[in-house]
Every structure is written in C-alpha cells, then in structure tokens.
C-alpha cells in the first residue's frame, strides 16, 4: 500500500506493481498543494550540486533513469512525459558567483561529469537574450520533463500492472503492536506493507513510531508568454530559474515557511517576476498568464527519507525529497522496490535512512 499518489508515490506504485504485488495507492482527496505542482520539472543535479553533496550521485542516476523510462511509458500509456535533454545554462551575475561556478566546473570535470565554463562573450554569442552575466556553467546533459505528465504516466502504468488508486486522506497507521496491518482514513485500508510517500503531509499521520522530520516549504511560481524571437531554453540564476515549455516561460520559485498554506502572495510573485526579468530581459514587459504554489516536503538536512522503519514491521518511507522530488521520483521507486525485494540497492542509501532522525 502506498500512501500518496504524487510523483514519488506513483513511481513506487509502478515499480512494485510490475513485480506482481497487489498495490493500492491511497491519494489525498483534495488535489492542491502537492510538491510536484510547484515543480518546473528540471533534471539538474549538476547545476545545484556541491562537491560534497550526497545527493549528486543519486540525482545523476535519477536523471539518467528517465532516458530509459520515457519511451516505455509513452508506449504503454500513450503519455509523453515531455523529456528534453536540452542542457541548462547556470549564469553568474557577479564575480563571486563566477568564481564559484568556475570551481564547480573544475571539480565536476575532474570527476568525469560533462560540463563547461563559458565566459561572458561565449554566453552572449549563443544566448544573446540573457541578461548581464560574468559567465556561465553549461551542463549539456541536464534537462526537463513535465511533472504533471510524469505523474499521470506513472499512475497509468501502475494501473496497467494491476495497481488500484483510491482517494482518501489518511490520518493514522493501523498497527498491532510493532506490526502494520493497514491505514485509517475515511475508510480502513488493510495491508501489511505500507509505504509513506505523502510528501509534506507525511509527518501528520498518527501512529508513526517516531516523529517524521518532514515539513512543508512553499514554492510559488508563475508563467509568462515565452518571447517569440527567443529559442526555447532553460536558464538558471542565483535568484530564480526560467524554463521554456509549451510556449510559456515558467519562472520560480520561492522557498517559504508558510505552513500548509498552498497559495500565492503578491510579494512572492513580485520577487519571482523581477528576478526572471533580470535573467531574461525580454520578459520584463510580459503579462503574467497564471500563478500557482505547492508545498515541498523538506527534511532538516535537506536529504530524503528512503527505506524501512526498523521499529515497525511492514512500514517503509519514500518522502522528504524537497526540491528534488521530480528528479528523484523514478530512482526512489527503483530503490524502494530493491529494498522490499531484499536486494542490495544500486545506490548508496546510508545517508537517507529513516532512523537518522529521532533515534531511540
């Protein structure tokens, strides 16, 4: 049983259903505020990674997985997840940012990752519509997909493999001592294996054996018309990013402690619009097409919680992915299936263990 039908929950459901398991996905009744709705769908582990970042290798694996997954999903469901390996430009607005990005290019190339440093003239020659810059990191293997299509495709493929999706808001685990027997919402759902993939709401489920350190962080976004004379691209700056999709420029995003208020604010949207206009000046006079917000599930150390709960038999976690929910959704499904099958995961998961918080 999967509690949560967003990107991570859907990926877990697909992987588990394809092994022949009977899978029930319990999705929240109210369809608003989910973290994937605040995502632009960027697959950008190299853009944001630090040299000591434990998420880099997992992010790279997640990015590459989608290149193998997009075709089969399209064939089996008819849904194109919008995967584009178009490269991402991370521009430097100041000399300090240029030094930081130049160093990042250096250590990434030493590790064999494909990226380049472009000076100001090189940026201007290729992306003449970008605002003033001191150079940029260019990562050609980075890309983007459509989060809404991804969730739809994963759930459709899970259903095709036998998974059932129901709508209910789960309020508590149903336990018999140290063993899971189901979950409780408006109805009781019976199952001896439960995966908590409820995003920002994961920690609000009663009956967990320890506090689940996942909190909502609001991300606001807006869409503008993509300039007609500008080639579609993805540009990342220190204050925002701009992603071309479907004739629009998707710009975001804020990182706000606002509880479970999944709503936009005039101040947040103004910050995004001003930053996007500085990054791509052609957007400065554009009229906003639409706005929205979602709640990212963040942990104190910024790392997801993936794996088995050692205190309760049958309880598993796949939550707390923060800003990386789309990037890591597919690979999280694979890793959880490997763990539940008793296999040794292909990726190192020690840093993501559930018991790293609230040990007792």
């Amino acid at each position: 049983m999967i509690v949560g039908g967003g990107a991570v929950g859907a990926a877990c459901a697909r992987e588990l259903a394809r092994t022949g398991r009977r899978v029930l996905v319990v999705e929240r009744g109210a369809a608003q505020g989910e973290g994937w709705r605040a995502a632009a769908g960027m697959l950008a582990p190299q853009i944001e990674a630090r040299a000591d970042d434990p998420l880099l290798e997992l992010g790279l694996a997640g990015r590459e997985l989608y290149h193998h997954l997009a075709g089969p999903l399209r064939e089996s469901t008819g849904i194109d997840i919008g995967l584009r390996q178009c490269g991402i430009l991370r521009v430097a607005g100041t000399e300090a940012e240029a030094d930081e990005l130049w160093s990042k290019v250096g250590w990434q190339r030493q590790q064999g990752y494909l990226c380049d440093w472009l000076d100001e003239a090189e940026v201007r020659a290729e992306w003449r519509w970008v605002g003033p810059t001191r150079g940029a990191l260019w990562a050609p293997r980075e890309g983007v997909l459509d989060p809404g299509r991804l969730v739809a495709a994963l759930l459709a493929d899970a259903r095709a493999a036998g998974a059932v999706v129901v709508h209910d808001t789960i309020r508590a685990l149903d336990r018999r001592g140290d063993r899971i027997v189901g979950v409780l919402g408006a109805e009781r759902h019976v199952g001896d294996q439960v995966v908590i993939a409820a995003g920002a709401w994961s920690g609000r489920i009663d009956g967990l054996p320890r506090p689940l350190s996942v909190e909502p962080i609001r991300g606001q976004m807006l869409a503008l018309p993509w300039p007609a004379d500008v080639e579609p691209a993805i540009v990342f700056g220190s204050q925002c990013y701009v992603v071309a999709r479907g004739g629009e420029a998707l710009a975001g995003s804020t990182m706000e402690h606002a509880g479970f208020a999944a709503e936009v604010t005039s101040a947040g949207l103004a910050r995004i619009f001003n930053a996007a206009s500085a990054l791509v000046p052609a957007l400065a006079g554009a009229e906003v097409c639409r706005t929205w917000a979602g709640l990212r599930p963040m942990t104190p150390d910024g790392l997801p919680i993936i794996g088995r709960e050692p205190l309760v038999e049958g309880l598993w976690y796949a939550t707390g992915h923060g800003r990386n929910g789309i990037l890591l959704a597919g690979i999280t499904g694979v890793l959880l299936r490997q763990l539940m099958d008793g296999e040794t995961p292909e990726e190192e998961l020690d840093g993501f263990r559930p018991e790293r918080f609230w040990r007792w």
Side-chain angles (χ1 to χ4, degrees), residues 20-154:
R21 289 178 170 88
R22 295 176 60 188
V23 175
L24 176 69
V25 179
V26 186
E27 171 65 316
R28 287 194 318 128
Q32 69 174 37
E34 291 92 337
W36 61 268
R37 297 182 188 276
M42 283 188 294
L43 308 176
Q46 290 181 248
I47 293 297
E48 298 193 87
R50 306 180 309 274
D52 59 348
D53 195 338
L55 275 180
L56 177 56
E57 292 298 330
L58 189 62
L60 291 169
R63 183 188 71 189
E64 297 308 310
L65 176 67
Y66 286 121
H67 292 287
H68 301 288
L69 193 59
L73 283 176
R74 183 171 56 249
E75 292 173 8
S76 63
T77 70
I79 300 173
D80 185 342
I81 64 173
L83 178 66
R84 290 187 290 132
Q85 183 187 314
C86 49
I88 296 180
L89 187 74
R90 170 60 168 94
V91 302
T94 65
E95 289 297 336
E97 288 180 18
D99 290 342
E100 180 181 349
L101 292 179
W102 186 85
S103 297
K104 180 178 290 192
V105 170
W107 68 257
Q108 288 198 19
R109 289 174 66 94
Q110 287 177 347
Q111 298 299 316
Y113 306 135
L114 186 61
C115 65
D116 289 298
W117 170 254
L118 307 177
D119 63 27
E120 184 176 353
E122 291 172 312
V123 174
R124 186 63 52 200
E126 186 69 24
W127 295 272
R128 59 182 66 252
W129 43 270
V130 170
T133 177
R134 296 293 185 270
L137 180 156
W138 168 242
R141 284 201 64 81
E142 306 278 68
V144 69
L145 56 73
D146 187 311
R149 293 184 187 180
L150 175 68
V151 173
L154 290 171

Side-chain angles (χ1 to χ4, degrees), residues 258-350:
F260 286 88
E263 55 197 31
V264 298
T265 66
S266 56
L269 295 177
R271 288 197 300 272
I272 296 170
F273 183 85
N274 291 337
S277 298
L279 191 60
V280 183
L283 297 175
E287 186 172 336
V288 175
C289 304
R290 54 196 177 94
T291 63
W292 64 100
L295 304 174
R296 303 183 184 92
M298 297 292 295
T299 62
D301 59 9
L303 303 178
I305 301 172
I306 303 172
R308 183 179 69 87
E309 169 54 64
L311 299 178
V312 176
E313 183 68 27
L315 181 59
W316 303 80
Y317 301 107
T319 189
H321 291 72
R323 297 179 62 184
N324 297 295
I326 297 300
L327 173 65
L328 300 179
I331 195 65
T332 296
V334 171
L335 294 170
L336 192 75
R337 187 260 303 159
Q338 290 173 340
L339 289 170
M340 295 182 77
D341 282 346
E343 300 176 10
T344 300
E346 298 174 358
E347 306 297 330
E348 176 58 57
L349 295 180
D350 279 352

